[in-house]
Amino acid sequence: SSAPGPIECRGAIAWEAGKPLSVEKVTVGPPAAGEVRVRLAATGVCHTDAYTLSGTDPEGAFPCILGHEGAGVVESVGDGVTSVSVGDHVVLLYIPECRECKFCKSGKTNLCGAIRATQGKGVMPDGTSRLTATCSDRGLLHFMGTSTFCEYAVLPAIAVATVDAAAPLTSVCLLGCGIPTGVGAVRNTCKVEEGATVAVFGLGGVGLSVVQGAVLAGASRIIGVDIDAGKFANATKFGATECVNPKDYGDKPIQEVLVEMTDGGLDYTFEAIGRTATMRSALEAAHKGWGMSCIIGVAGAGEMIQTRPFQLVTGRRWVGTAFGGTKGRTEVPLLVKEYMDGKLKIDECITKKYSLDQINDAFADMHDGKLIRGVIVF
Ligand code: APR
Ligand code: ZN
């Protein structure tokens, strides 16, 4: 067969920080050795995309194509690719799984190191980009190794998870970030056991996924914490047994409220907001002797967490997670199966669908707190 050539398609270019995305023609180069090119079917819009677009992310570099919560169909493969084939349905992974590096081989973490250095620089493993703005022929940087706000994406084959082709890609795209992050924090990072008590700080898309994970783990009590009482209805629908608004308690620290409510604290607490103050509250709401608190939310660059060391000396454990500890190629297909079996809620997380042309509206709605998740359908 003849080698694949460049494809001219449409993408949302982030020309510079703080400016709306510009939907225009993008030329996507062919996959090099070890790479695949994917035709995107859908992508979620996540706060991390907005964070980088805002310009406050010190690692953000422009011009680029943002987006990291995508799913699609493999259009072509480069030399030497054996793990995926043309036509495979895939979820794109911003944390790959090479199964060969020190991290993968450890069995202790999902933080594959195979392409970390180049991914962080916005380029492919060979140091170059596959993305060009067609109008000016200017090169565009990749983002999080995925760049899903474009009709086509090129990724190393180790950064796609092949999933059941019967699963709707417009739904399973959310398995590229938010849902595995929350569910995996419960299952992989904390290993929450049946009957445990859980508190979830922040009831956005990630927090609701923690709630869902806690339900699947058989937690006995799931307390949602949010300063927006408008989030409580969905939290209850996902399985929170109680919801607490810190604003109802005046100056009383929310950890004190939770400790009183639970006879000494929770077995597990999760921070899904990204604020260092609530990270501390979550740690201090964990039970003496065994309580574990997991940081999921992404704090601003350079921010520091604090608590009294006594909190740890007396048996609380402070942990963190990226992508919920999920090993993408191995575990995302299993999550798709759980979804197909009716055990994992994904469609309930999609508040609204948009076309690529409406992508700036999706960002605006996300900023307004209107969305569990917004999904761009190509
Ligand atoms: N106390 C309690 N809840 C708060 C507080 C606070 N001080 N501040 C904000 N919240 C709530 C908001 O009202 C919102 O419901 O936290 C929730 C955060 O939800 P989203 O903004 O929808 O964010 P989400 O997509 O769930 O992501 C949460 O994870 O991936 C990271 O960068 C992401 O750090 C963010 C976090
Ligand atoms: Zn690896």
Side-chain angles (χ1 to χ4, degrees), residues 96-105 111-114:
E97 182 187 347
C98 78
R99 299 175 176 162
E100 285 167 9
C101 74
K102 177 175 168 181
F103 291 86
C104 286
K105 276 188 174 158
L111 299 178
C112 173

Side-chain angles (χ1 to χ4, degrees), residues 12-25:
I13 301 177
W15 282 107
E16 51 183 312
K19 293 278 164 61
L21 300 178
S22 169
V23 177
E24 49 189 281
K25 279 187 180 162

